[in-house]
Amino acid sequence: MSYAIKNLVQGSRELIAFRIGDQEFCVNIMSVREIRGWTQATPLPHAPPFVMGVINLRGAVLPIVDLSFRLGLGQAEPTARHVIIVAQVRNKTVGLLVEAVSDILTVTDENIQPTPEISTDHEKQYARGILAIDKRMICLIELEGLFPETESEAA
C-alpha cells in the first residue's frame, strides 16, 4: 500500500447519514450499534420531553429519544417507515428515532466544513461541522454534545 493511500485510510472516518424532515444529519458509525424498525415506546413518567419512552431490546430497557424534538425541529409523528438508531453515548445505550437512514459516508477531515458562526451555543454543543456532498448539506452531530452527562443519566 502506498504512503498516500495509507494516510487517506488512516485519516478517514465512516459516518452514518439519516433524515429528519427535509434535513440530513450524520453521526460517527462507531457509536452505532444497530438500526431497527420503529417500535412503539412505553412512556415514562417525569422523563425529559425529548424521551418518547422505553422499549425492550433483547431484555434490556432502551430509552427512545425523539431526535427531531431534541434538535428543536418539532415533535416527530412516528410511522412504520421511521427507524431507531441504537447508539452508544458514553456508557449509555439510547435509541434515536429518525425518519430514515440515507447513507454511509467515508470522509476525511478536509470534507468537514466548520459550523457557521451564526449557530447558537446550543447548536455548537453538538454540531461538529457540515458536509457538502453531491448538493446535499449534512450536519455532523457529536452525540456526547447532544446528551450532556446530566441529561444522559435521565434518559
Side-chain angles (χ1 to χ4, degrees):
M1 181 180 301
S2 75
Y3 179 76
I5 293 173
K6 185 176 180 183
N7 276 349
L8 177 63
V9 171
Q10 287 178 346
S12 67
R13 63 178 104 170
E14 286 192 316
L15 307 171
I16 190 157
F18 53 89
R19 275 193 346 271
I20 297 175
D22 293 333
Q23 298 185 43
E24 279 191 279
F25 300 89
C26 61
V27 295
N28 189 324
I29 201 165
M30 296 306 290
S31 62
V32 176
R33 299 292 162 246
E34 68 180 270
I35 299 166
R36 52 184 295 118
W38 164 243
T39 302
Q40 182 67 42
T42 302
L44 283 177
H46 309 293
F50 57 85
V51 176
M52 300 181 74
V54 295
I55 64 170
N56 180 344
L57 180 66
R58 293 183 293 282
V61 175
L62 180 71
I64 303 299
V65 171
D66 179 348
L67 199 51
S68 176
F69 191 80
R70 184 69 180 114
L71 293 171
L73 302 173
Q75 193 167 13
E77 295 294 332
T79 67
R81 292 181 171 258
H82 280 72
V83 296
I84 297 170
I85 298 174
V86 179
Q88 192 75 31
V89 182
R90 291 184 196 80
N91 61 348
K92 306 277 186 199
T93 304
V94 297
L96 307 171
L97 177 69
V98 302
E99 286 184 26
V101 169
S102 54
D103 224 339
I104 295 176
L105 308 167
T106 302
V107 300
T108 62
D109 289 341
E110 291 81 38
N111 300 120
I112 303 170
Q113 304 297 315
T115 54
E117 289 299 318
I118 59 171
S119 300
T120 65
D121 287 339
H122 175 68
E123 289 168 332
K124 289 178 184 174
Q125 288 178 348
Y126 65 82
R128 290 297 176 244
I130 304 290
L131 298 160
I133 299 175
D134 301 328
K135 298 183 181 180
R136 296 160 49 199
M137 300 298 281
I138 305 170
C139 179
L140 173 59
I141 294 176
E142 185 174 312
L143 293 175
E144 288 79 6
L146 193 59
F147 301 103
E149 296 246 13
T150 54
E151 287 185 3
S152 68
E153 304 215 355

